[in-house]
Amino acid sequence: TVRQAGGVGVMASVDSTGLSVSGRLRSGDLLHIGLILVLLLGAWGVGGLEVSTGKVSSIEAMNGSTVLLPCTYSSCIGIKNLYFNWKYNDNGTFLKLCEAEIPTEKVEPKVHVFHERVEFVGSSKTNNISILLWNITFEDEGEYTCFARNPKEKNRNHSAIFTLIVVDQMKEVDNTLTVIIVSVLGGVIGLVILIMVIKAVVLHVLHKGNEKTKECLVSSSGNDNTENGLSGAKADNKATPKA
C-alpha cells in the first residue's frame, strides 16, 4: 500500500492480519534491547561490591579484653577509590570509629581513626578492612557496622553488621557428654585389644601343644621300631646252630 505523508509517498508493507511489518520489527527490537539491559543489570548485580563479617556475625568477649571486628570486601570488576568506614550503633546514634579510601587494588589506605581504642589491622592486599577494639567495657556491647562504597560500580554500596557481647566471665563448656563418649569408645577399644591378645596367647599355647604331641608320637614310633629290630635280631641269634 502507498500512504501520502506531506505530499511524499511512503511505502509500507502490510501482512494478512493488517499489521505493519515495520511496526512489528520495532517491537522486536525493543524486546531485544530490554533483554540485553536485563542481562547486563543482572551481571552487574551478581558481581557487585559485597562486604562480609564472616560466617559468624557475633562474638562473646570478656570485659577488659581485646576483640577483632572482622570485615572483608569483594568485587568482581575491581575497585577504585573504595570508601569504607566502621560505625557503632549507640542506641540509634551511629558513632563513626574510622574511615578511609582505597585508591586502587593492592594500595594501602590512609585510615582516619576517631576512637582511642580502635586500631585498623586490615590490608588492601587481602581485601581486609578489619579493626581491633582494645580493652573493651560493657559500654562497648552492641552492633558494629562495616560499610563500603565503590565508585567504579556507580557508587554501589554494601554493609554488614557484627554484634559484640561483653561478659564478666566466659561460660564453662559442659564436656560431660564428650567425656562419656570418649570413655565408652576407649573401653570398647581396650576390650577388643584384650580379646585379640588372649586369642593370640591361646593359639600360641595350642600350637606349642600340638608340636609337643607330634614330637611324642614320632619318638614313640621310633622306639617301637628300634625294639622290634632288637627282638628280631635276638631271635635270629638263638636260631643259629652252634658250629
Side-chain angles (χ1 to χ4, degrees):
T1 61
V2 180
R3 297 178 182 177
Q4 296 292 330
V8 180
V10 179
M11 299 294 295
S13 60
V14 180
D15 61 4
S16 61
T17 62
L19 296 175
S20 172
V21 175
S22 60
R24 288 194 302 167
L25 289 176
R26 286 195 297 271
S27 299
D29 292 340
L30 291 175
L31 178 62
H32 292 158
I33 293 173
L35 289 174
I36 293 173
L37 289 175
V38 170
L39 291 175
L40 290 176
L41 290 174
W44 176 75
V46 171
L49 174 70
E50 286 188 2
V51 295
S52 172
T53 57
K55 296 180 179 180
V56 180
S57 60
S58 64
I59 187 174
E60 285 189 2
M62 287 185 61
N63 181 31
S65 63
T66 299
V67 295
L68 174 70
L69 305 181
C71 187
T72 58
Y73 64 87
S74 62
S75 175
C76 291
I77 66 173
I79 64 168
K80 184 177 182 181
N81 298 325
L82 176 76
Y83 170 82
F84 71 88
N85 65 43
W86 275 93
K87 290 183 179 180
Y88 170 62
N89 185 0
D90 185 12
N91 296 323
T93 302
F94 288 89
L95 305 177
K96 187 178 293 184
L97 304 178
C98 69
E99 67 177 357
E101 190 174 279
I102 304 175
T104 184
E105 296 178 6
K106 311 302 181 183
V107 176
E108 298 299 340
K110 294 181 179 180
V111 182
H112 302 283
V113 179
F114 308 108
H115 194 290
E116 59 181 3
R117 290 185 288 112
V118 168
E119 179 185 355
F120 178 75
V121 293
S123 174
S124 61
K125 295 178 181 178
T126 54
N127 296 354
N128 191 333
I129 49 178
S130 304
I131 60 174
L132 280 179
L133 184 59
W134 292 85
N135 193 25
I136 62 173
T137 65
F138 290 104
E139 287 74 19
D140 295 323
E141 183 172 287
E143 295 181 346
Y144 292 80
T145 302
C146 176
F147 171 86
R149 183 177 63 244
N150 188 15
K152 191 173 182 178
E153 300 178 58
K154 297 182 179 180
N155 286 324
R156 178 185 175 91
N157 61 76
H158 194 244
S159 62
I161 297 176
F162 191 80
T163 304
L164 172 63
I165 303 171
V166 182
V167 296
D168 55 354
Q169 62 179 3
M170 300 302 292
K171 296 179 181 179
E172 294 184 1
V173 180
D174 188 4
N175 294 323
T176 303
L177 181 60
T178 303
V179 171
I180 293 174
I181 294 174
V182 172
S183 300
V184 171
L185 290 176
V188 172
I189 294 173
L191 181 61
V192 171
I193 293 175
L194 180 61
I195 293 173
M196 293 177 65
V197 170
I198 293 174
K199 180 180 178 181
V201 171
V202 171
L203 291 175
H204 181 71
V205 171
L206 292 176
H207 182 67
K208 287 292 185 181
N210 290 335
E211 288 184 352
K212 288 184 178 180
T213 302
K214 289 180 180 179
E215 291 178 359
C216 291
L217 291 175
V218 172
S219 299
S220 176
S221 176
N223 291 335
D224 292 341
N225 292 333
T226 303
E227 290 177 357
N228 292 332
L230 292 175
S231 298
K234 289 179 180 180
D236 292 340
N237 291 334
K238 289 181 180 180
T240 302
K242 295 182 181 179

